[in-house]
Amino acid sequence: MGNLESNVFGKKKFSDILKEIYDNQKKKEIQITSLIGELKPLINDLGDATLIVPLIKEYMELGIKNDEQLVKMATIIQRALASGKSEEEGFGMTEEEKQQLLGEIEKFNKKD
């Protein structure tokens, strides 16, 4: 996993970015689970359900999106490990893929 210690930009290592994404995902998972848990007891009748269930659905969708980010992260790691390429060869990623990854990271960090 030596190539995960390569600097991607500035002093930020590839492994630092992956850890940051993972930590943020776990934090959001806990927050979403907590919010859903707080909403469930508020459902006493059909009227409550029509107001609260859409909120729970939205939180569940956020959880799914968080899981998608983890899958993307795992794909990147798998590609980096499978390629066995040196730092100069860029983890087997094209320049376009690197830019897309950095864009995803920026979008993810703006959501926090």
Side-chain angles (χ1 to χ4, degrees):
M1 292 243 258
N3 42 349
L4 295 179
E5 296 304 314
S6 302
N7 286 342
V8 177
F9 56 92
K11 293 185 179 185
K12 191 73 109 171
K13 295 178 186 168
F14 191 65
S15 60
D16 295 336
I17 294 170
L18 295 176
K19 182 178 180 337
E20 199 173 308
I21 292 170
Y22 177 80
D23 290 344
N24 286 342
Q25 296 296 345
K26 294 312 272 179
K27 183 175 72 175
K28 286 183 183 188
E29 178 183 342
I30 291 167
Q31 290 172 337
I32 290 168
T33 302
S34 174
L35 287 169
I36 290 171
E38 290 174 12
L39 289 175
K40 281 182 187 178
L42 300 176
I43 301 174
N44 296 320
D45 59 33
L46 187 59
D48 294 341
T50 58
L51 293 174
I52 295 174
V53 170
L55 292 174
I56 292 175
K57 177 184 176 275
E58 191 172 324
Y59 293 145
M60 295 295 289
E61 287 173 354
L62 283 172
I64 291 168
K65 288 179 184 178
N66 287 341
D67 289 344
E68 288 172 356
Q69 292 298 322
L70 288 174
V71 169
K72 287 179 184 179
M73 184 173 76
T75 301
I76 292 166
I77 292 170
Q78 180 184 20
R79 188 179 288 176
L81 295 176
S83 72
K85 295 184 178 183
S86 69
E87 296 173 20
E88 295 79 32
E89 293 172 316
F91 304 111
M93 293 173 28
T94 66
E95 194 59 38
E96 181 181 327
E97 290 171 322
K98 288 181 199 176
Q99 292 305 318
Q100 182 182 6
L101 172 62
L102 291 173
E104 287 292 323
I105 291 168
E106 287 176 18
K107 281 194 278 185
F108 180 78
N109 286 332
K110 287 180 184 177
K111 292 179 183 178
D112 289 339

